[in-house]
Amino acid sequence: YNLNGNVGKVLIYLDINENGRYDEGTDTKVSDIASQVNIIALEQRYDYDLTEGFNFVSFPFLISGEEYRTAAGLLQKLNEIYNDSIYSISTFDGGKWKMVGQNVEIYDNNDFQLLPGVRYMIKAKEDVDISVVGQPIQYESVSDNAPITLYSGWNLIGLYGTNTKQYTAKTLIQDVNSSDFTADNVTQWTKDKQMYEGFQLSDGEEYGFDFTLNKLESYFVRITQGSGNWQPELSSNN
């Protein structure tokens, strides 16, 4: 079944006679044989509003096309579509930045894969709206998982998974601390100000302003103790 955009009510049926349309009395409505139907997108378009300068982004999906699942591959494709509007794509690896691209050059020896759970910074030459197509990561029940790897120190992370809980900086710290980790700070990059703004929770004291996390953006999380995989919670709105 192909569902494109917000199309309103959709009739889902089994095309018994394979003529490409619904025939009353011949084809079978799915609603007649199931009490609940869950539809998971095979591919979806994700829209990013980039501003001139630095943009901390997340790809909560598997990018369509293997050739675009590396920083060099995606950078080349985006610049083909959007008139060379992107300088570079960077990742925060082992406490240091690793960058692919500078002006119009591509540095293949610095290339890296683009993966859910690992977050990135895109430097744009100008304000530009871009779209990336990919397959969302299914995370609908406890049998699914969408782990995020955390290390001691600063981590650049983002949330992914179709039914991941909606976090704020405060609730993220609290949930991380309920596992085998200790976190005390979540910091975001505000594009309009081109500056960092953080929220800290330490010894019950709060510093800064809490904010909601967006799955298409990435955030710095400071871990003071522990390392390994952390599993975000499922949304309670099942």
Side-chain angles (χ1 to χ4, degrees), residues 146-160:
I148 295 173
T149 302
L150 298 173
Y151 300 98
S152 181
W154 287 103
N155 300 262
L156 184 62
I157 72 162
L159 300 168
Y160 66 104

Side-chain angles (χ1 to χ4, degrees), residues 46-189:
Y46 298 84
D47 298 323
Y48 295 84
D49 177 17
L50 303 182
T51 61
E52 180 181 355
F54 300 120
N55 301 266
F56 286 76
V57 304
S58 166
F59 302 118
F61 51 88
L62 184 65
I63 296 174
S64 296
E66 290 188 15
E67 66 271 33
Y68 309 129
R69 293 175 187 167
T70 69
L74 183 62
L75 180 60
Q76 288 177 312
K77 185 63 175 179
L78 291 177
N79 278 332
E80 287 175 9
I81 298 173
Y82 300 104
N83 300 317
D84 290 322
S85 59
I86 309 297
Y87 280 119
S88 60
I89 301 177
S90 303
T91 186
F92 191 67
D93 184 18
K96 296 184 295 184
W97 286 103
K98 186 176 184 180
M99 182 185 70
V100 168
Q102 181 176 347
N103 297 326
V104 296
E105 299 181 59
I106 302 296
Y107 298 92
D108 291 327
N109 59 325
N110 283 336
D111 203 9
F112 50 85
Q113 287 195 318
L114 302 175
L115 301 170
V118 182
R119 301 318 182 221
Y120 308 97
M121 180 180 71
I122 296 178
K123 185 178 181 182
K125 300 178 184 179
E126 58 192 10
D127 294 353
V128 59
D129 296 333
I130 68 170
S131 296
V132 181
V133 176
Q135 179 180 351
I137 306 301
Q138 182 175 347
Y139 182 41
E140 297 292 327
S141 67
V142 293
S143 62
D144 302 321
N145 59 76
I148 295 173
T149 302
L150 298 173
Y151 300 98
S152 181
W154 287 103
N155 300 262
L156 184 62
I157 72 162
L159 300 168
Y160 66 104
T162 50
N163 198 34
T164 301
K165 174 181 174 180
Q166 176 65 71
Y167 280 100
T168 68
K170 181 177 180 179
T171 57
L172 180 71
I173 292 172
Q174 291 172 331
D175 277 12
V176 168
N177 288 346
S178 66
S179 304
D180 297 326
F181 303 91
T182 302
D184 68 352
N185 186 290
V186 177
T187 293
Q188 66 176 340
W189 176 261

